[in-house]
Amino acid sequence: MKTAKGRERARRARWSFGDRLAAAGGVRVSPVCLGWVGRASLISEAYDAGINFFFLTADMHWPLYEAARRGLRDLLRRGGGVRDEIVVGVASYVQQPEFCHVPFREVVSAVPGLGSIDVTIAGGSYGGEFLVRLAQYKAHRLPGGGPHRVPGVRATGASFHDRAAALLALNHGLVDVAFARYNADHPGADDDLFAGLLPRDARPKSLLFNFNSTRGYVGEARFRELGLSADHWHPALPDYYRFALRRPEIDGILCGLRDGKELDALAAALRAGPVSDDEAAYMRDLAALSAGRRELA
């Protein structure tokens, strides 16, 4: 008989771009949220492959998302109900309460055909300031309009580097979609986030998406510099998404992709399912070795 953990892993092994996860406000999103892209046409390619969740920034790293904005514009030009099929999340990193709505309206103006934002995200949230910003972000959904209203908002999100704040938000359902960092190079969430999360049936439903999943990846040249031989497993970049997805607490991943080859590789990684516990331990050791935190055995 499979344990609950075993059943969860089996479910994750069947993940695909076309799967949908339910959040608040009737929002249904793919387990992959696509952010920056290497070329605009990749947005349409991702949509055609089944991805419907897209991430933009309203301020920080604005130039890096130019191709994503153009890609969304091109996708929306198809018409035919595409706007109703996609979910667009936009993050702002500005903390002053009086500026917590204007950047989102500027994104709507910058992407012809967008018309609205589905999820407004408090980017880079920490501790107490997050609670102050949260009140402003809840105001984005005020009925009947108002000075802080943002067109179309159905859900509230936040991205966290402060995992204690993420834990608070998830256990108390303060946001509908949370983004937190977990990877082979920074696996601290094992102890200070995942270990403290209440069981899913004991806490309000919030989706948790991972970001920076591929931190800790060791490229070909660095792998050789470390003196590792062909007898050692050399994890490919997509294996690091599999590393993150081995945690049943993680519902999906936020990622950036350069081209169609990387899109196909990510699809294959989802089909392959999570890495094993032994593989995950090896990947953590490899990241630590590359960073100089341990010596080669």
Side-chain angles (χ1 to χ4, degrees):
M1 179 180 295
K2 287 185 178 179
T3 64
K5 187 174 182 180
R7 289 193 299 272
E8 185 71 14
R9 287 192 174 180
R11 179 184 70 82
R12 292 180 182 284
R14 296 192 296 270
W15 266 9
S16 72
F17 292 159
D19 292 343
R20 294 294 180 260
L21 307 168
V27 174
R28 292 178 59 81
V29 298
S30 53
V32 171
C33 179
L34 182 57
W36 71 267
V37 291
R39 52 179 170 80
S41 60
L42 196 57
I43 295 291
S44 289
E45 292 173 29
Y47 173 78
D48 291 336
I51 294 173
N52 81 326
F53 194 13
F54 299 97
F55 178 100
L56 295 174
T57 178
D59 35 52
M60 187 176 178
H61 303 312
W62 178 271
L64 293 178
Y65 285 80
E66 173 62 24
R69 291 192 298 272
R70 288 191 286 110
L72 279 172
R73 175 204 64 191
D74 295 342
L75 175 61
L76 291 165
R77 283 176 175 170
R78 292 186 185 183
V82 167
R83 181 62 188 93
D84 294 333
E85 294 295 328
I86 65 173
V87 176
V88 178
V90 180
S92 174
Y93 298 84
V94 177
Q95 296 183 12
Q96 293 90 337
E98 61 270 29
F99 298 127
C100 282
H101 59 285
V102 174
F104 298 106
R105 295 176 181 174
E106 292 175 342
V107 170
V108 173
S109 298
V111 182
L114 184 60
S116 62
I117 293 171
D118 302 292
V119 188
T120 50
I121 302 164
S125 296
Y126 285 84
E129 63 84 17
F130 161 64
L131 297 177
V132 175
R133 291 168 73 194
L134 183 62
Q136 300 296 321
Y137 279 64
K138 296 292 187 181
H140 293 167
R141 291 189 270 179
L142 286 173
H148 301 291
R149 174 91 172 152
V150 176
V153 176
R154 295 182 284 161
T156 300
S159 68
F160 297 95
H161 287 280
D162 178 356
R163 290 191 289 263
L167 182 62
L168 174 71
L170 288 164
N171 277 342
H172 293 277
L174 300 182
V175 295
D176 305 307
V177 185
F179 297 83
R181 180 181 66 175
Y182 175 67
N183 54 60
D185 196 37
H186 295 97
D190 280 330
D191 300 318
D192 54 20
L193 177 56
F194 304 138
L197 278 177
L198 296 173
R200 286 184 183 272
D201 58 0
R203 57 183 165 93
K205 181 170 178 57
S206 298
L207 296 178
L208 175 58
F209 275 68
N210 197 59
F211 67 91
N212 282 167
S213 302
T214 59
R215 288 286 298 272
Y217 168 66
V218 178
E220 192 72 42
R222 179 59 176 157
F223 195 80
R224 292 195 300 268
E225 286 176 2
L226 294 172
L228 299 172
S229 70
D231 293 332
H232 292 89
W233 176 43
H234 186 190
L237 192 67
D239 289 322
Y240 289 81
Y241 295 114
R242 299 174 60 222
F243 175 94
L245 293 174
R246 64 183 289 275
R247 293 296 321 202
E249 299 85 357
I250 293 175
D251 297 295
I253 55 170
L254 168 63
C255 66
L257 299 172
R258 291 178 294 185
D259 51 37
K261 183 179 179 181
E262 291 192 351
L263 180 67
D264 292 341
L266 177 56
L270 291 182
R271 290 194 299 269
V275 299
S276 68
D277 291 344
D278 287 344
E279 288 170 331
Y282 175 90
M283 294 168 78
R284 287 193 295 266
D285 288 345
L286 180 60
L289 178 64
S290 180
R293 296 194 300 271
R294 60 164 295 168
E295 296 181 355
L296 182 65

